[in-house]
Amino acid sequence: MKILIYTSIIFLFYILSVFTFQKNGLLHPEAIERIPNYLDGRNLFQKVYNIDKNEYGLYQARELSHFFDYIDANFIKLSASVGLPHFYSLVYFISIFIIIASCLYIAKFYFNHKNFLVPSTIILIFLFSPIPFFSVYMFRSAKILVVLGIVLSSFFILRFLSQKSRGGKSYLPIVASALFLAFGDRQGFYILLALTGFVFLIFLFFRNNKHLKIFKFLIFGIVISLIYSYIVAPILI
């Protein structure tokens, strides 16, 4: 409950500051093309897998981000229909909220912070740096999805490492977060590769069986991502 309260306070301060300084948001040149693309009469599948319009013909295997862009476009349409026109990204704000909550949870339960002063300060510095503060409008959800994927992957890995009993399907959140990271953006896939290599180096240094299992989980995510990117998705497109 305390984490939720602190998260809500930080998030409200952030979005109120955004609304104060940026008013109705910015209409990015790419959004001028993308919003009509996501709001036309075609079905969802055709909109998400339209590489010519979404990627200018350059396939990057990040259709998950196109789905979230579709949500943003419809959120903008809905807001305009009720008399509140803007160009903000709903997906961006929700991602920011989850990132704040996850980081506070990690700080308290995995790094033993007695209070939220230090982690809250670090989060605020991040939120009010230029890129997070001025990227709240609809453009590409891919980048904030990568940040969210990094945070979620870190959270589930730390949770796995802290568990005394690893029965059941405790590996599934790690695999799911790895896939989320890879499917969100091509940059996320390369970050996943770097994370997997880092975990393997830790295993070589400490020879801990937990690290080896995490390495295997991440490799599984990479393999699934490659199968989708080079076999499944090209057929769908």
Side-chain angles (χ1 to χ4, degrees), residues 121-134:
T121 302
I122 295 173
I123 290 170
L124 285 170
I125 292 173
F126 165 72
L127 292 178
F128 284 88
S129 59
I131 293 178
F133 190 79
F134 291 107

Side-chain angles (χ1 to χ4, degrees), residues 15 24 65 68 104 117 134 147 161 167 176 179 183 194 201 232 237:
I15 61 171
N24 289 6
S65 69
F68 285 112
L104 290 177
L117 178 60
F134 291 107
V147 180
L161 290 173
L179 290 174
F183 290 161
L201 289 176
V232 178
I237 294 172

